[in-house]
């Protein structure tokens, strides 16, 4: 017993020296009270604007623009030209959307508080245009055991109609990594696969930063994306190479500062609900 006591006392005596006591400068708090130098690094203005968070997790905060609350497609329509599979298509579509935008009513179905892709009816996009946004969106890839790869409950969310984060059943469904759920399509695979099984609701929470272009049309700053899938970080400030396309290598094409958000019709009855954005 005595031996243990001796050991304990020795430890207490030796420990302070072993972690470098005396090497950290002392602060004379009494002296500093006279000048209060900590105030030099305090910022008081501007006071951050108050935003009331939603009553429920994932709901729209007070300053959100609600794009779909489960009731109707009034915030959406069907663009004459959706998105491009190749850069030459992308360029032509941007030109059309800027010079001669045309659209008709969105044909997707609304049922049980969700909007459902109507296969073959085409992509839908928001009537409002956006640049930098925070987006919350929930989606469900229906169970369809006969399907696989890119054909298993595919859709997509295209920021500005150009930059796609993939929506797909990627729970147990092999496909190319930069084409699975949460991928910035054919550019960045998700950092991890946080997929829930098909038939279950999932969420994306995303910060999208729009690209900026100089007056001569050259790229100033690429688009960037940070995304959480079911609360798990899957894209961390990933800088895009240009629009997300199916064929070929992307490059930036100058476009307006704000453009509509687009949801893809890939032929599958994917559902979406609780969609809101905050402009940044
Ligand atoms: Mg897709």
């Amino acid at each position: 017993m005595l031996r243990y006591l001796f050991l304990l006392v020795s430890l207490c005596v030796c420990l302070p020296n072993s972690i470098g006591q005396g090497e950290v400068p002392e602060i004379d708090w009494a002296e500093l009270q006279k000048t209060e130098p900590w105030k030099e690094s305090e910022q008081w203005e501007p006071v951050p604007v108050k935003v009331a968070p939603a009553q429920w997790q994932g709901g729209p905060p007070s300053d959100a623009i609600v794009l779909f609350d489960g009731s109707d497609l009034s915030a959406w329509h069907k663009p004459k030209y959706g998105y491009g599979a190749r850069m030459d298509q992308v360029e032509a579509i941007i030109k059309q959307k800027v010079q001669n935008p045309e659209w008709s009513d969105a044909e997707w179905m609304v049922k049980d508080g969700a909007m459902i892709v109507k296969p073959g009816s085409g992509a839908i996009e928001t009537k409002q245009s956006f640049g930098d946004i925070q987006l919350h969106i929930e989606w469900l890839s229906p169970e369809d055991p006969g399907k696989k790869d890119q054909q298993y409950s595919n859709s997509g969310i295209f920021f500005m109609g150009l930059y796609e984060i993939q929506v797909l059943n990627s729970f147990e469904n092999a496909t190319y990594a930069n084409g699975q759920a949460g991928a910035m399509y054919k550019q960045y695979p998700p950092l991890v696969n946080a997929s829930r099984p098909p038939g279950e609701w999932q969420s994306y929470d995303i910060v999208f930063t729009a690209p900026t272009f100089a007056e001569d049309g050259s790229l100033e700053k690429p688009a960037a994306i940070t995304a959480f899938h079911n609360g798990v970080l899957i894209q961390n400030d990933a800088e895009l190479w240009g629009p997300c396309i199916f064929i070929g290598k992307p490059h930036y094409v100058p476009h307006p500062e704000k453009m509509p958000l687009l949801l893809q019709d890939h032929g599958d009855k994917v559902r979406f609900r609780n969609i809101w954005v905050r402009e940044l």
Side-chain angles (χ1 to χ4, degrees):
M1 187 66 195
L2 263 177
R3 188 193 279 177
Y4 287 117
L5 198 63
F6 176 75
L7 250 174
L8 194 66
V9 170
S10 309
L11 264 175
C12 291
V13 171
C14 295
L15 209 55
N17 285 334
S18 66
I19 59 168
Q21 194 194 42
E23 290 169 13
V24 177
E26 296 271 335
I27 291 178
D28 185 344
W29 293 106
E31 177 62 24
L32 289 187
Q33 287 290 346
K34 295 173 192 165
T35 56
E36 299 182 319
W38 48 83
K39 291 197 168 175
E40 289 165 19
S41 46
E42 293 175 358
Q43 179 193 331
W44 285 72
E45 300 284 345
V47 177
V49 172
K50 279 193 179 181
V51 172
Q55 297 292 312
W56 46 284
Q57 197 65 33
S62 59
D63 64 346
I65 297 167
V66 176
L67 296 174
F68 181 67
D69 67 1
S71 54
D72 60 53
L73 296 175
S74 56
W76 303 80
H77 56 205
K78 173 186 174 177
K80 183 172 183 186
Y81 301 102
Y83 56 92
R86 234 175 28 197
M87 280 313 300
D88 55 343
Q89 282 195 327
V90 169
E91 289 184 39
I93 289 170
I94 290 175
K95 207 170 159 187
Q96 283 291 333
K97 283 186 174 177
V98 171
Q99 294 175 358
N100 184 31
E102 285 182 68
W103 51 78
S104 52
D105 288 344
E107 295 170 35
W108 290 17
M109 297 161 280
V110 176
K111 198 181 166 196
D112 302 330
M115 61 161 83
I116 309 169
V117 177
K118 184 179 175 189
S121 71
I124 64 171
E125 67 179 21
T126 52
K127 293 177 182 173
Q128 190 171 343
S129 292
F130 302 102
D132 299 352
I133 52 169
Q134 173 186 348
L135 167 72
H136 176 89
I137 188 165
E138 295 169 24
W139 56 272
L140 180 151
S141 282
E143 259 188 300
D144 207 342
K147 291 193 171 177
K148 60 177 187 174
D149 199 352
Q150 291 288 303
Q151 308 311 318
Y152 199 152
S153 296
N154 189 332
S155 183
I157 300 153
F158 287 64
F159 295 90
M160 312 190 94
L162 298 167
Y163 311 103
E164 181 191 9
I165 186 163
Q166 177 69 299
V167 169
L168 185 76
N169 164 37
S170 288
F171 183 66
E172 282 170 351
N173 176 35
T175 191
Y176 42 96
N178 59 1
Q180 71 180 68
M184 289 313 293
Y185 188 71
K186 289 204 167 167
Q187 296 189 28
Y188 292 94
L191 297 170
V192 293
N193 182 349
S195 296
R196 291 202 171 106
E200 291 189 17
W201 282 101
Q202 317 202 39
S203 65
Y204 282 155
D205 286 281
I206 297 171
V207 177
F208 173 79
T209 308
T212 58
F213 299 93
E215 266 188 31
D216 66 359
S218 61
L219 181 72
E220 271 181 352
K221 194 165 64 75
I225 187 147
T226 294
F228 295 84
H229 183 188
N230 299 324
V232 180
L233 183 71
I234 54 162
Q235 299 288 350
N236 189 8
D237 198 24
E239 291 191 345
L240 304 183
W241 314 335
C244 296
I245 49 172
F246 184 49
I247 304 163
K249 286 202 164 137
H251 60 262
Y252 277 96
V253 179
H255 57 69
E257 288 175 9
K258 294 187 175 188
M259 292 183 77
L261 183 74
L262 180 146
L263 300 178
Q264 183 184 44
D265 166 15
H266 201 278
D268 300 314
K269 292 181 179 174
V270 174
R271 299 184 215 168
F272 294 93
R273 72 178 185 192
N274 189 25
I275 309 172
W276 52 263
V277 298
R278 295 181 59 246
E279 292 188 292
L280 304 175

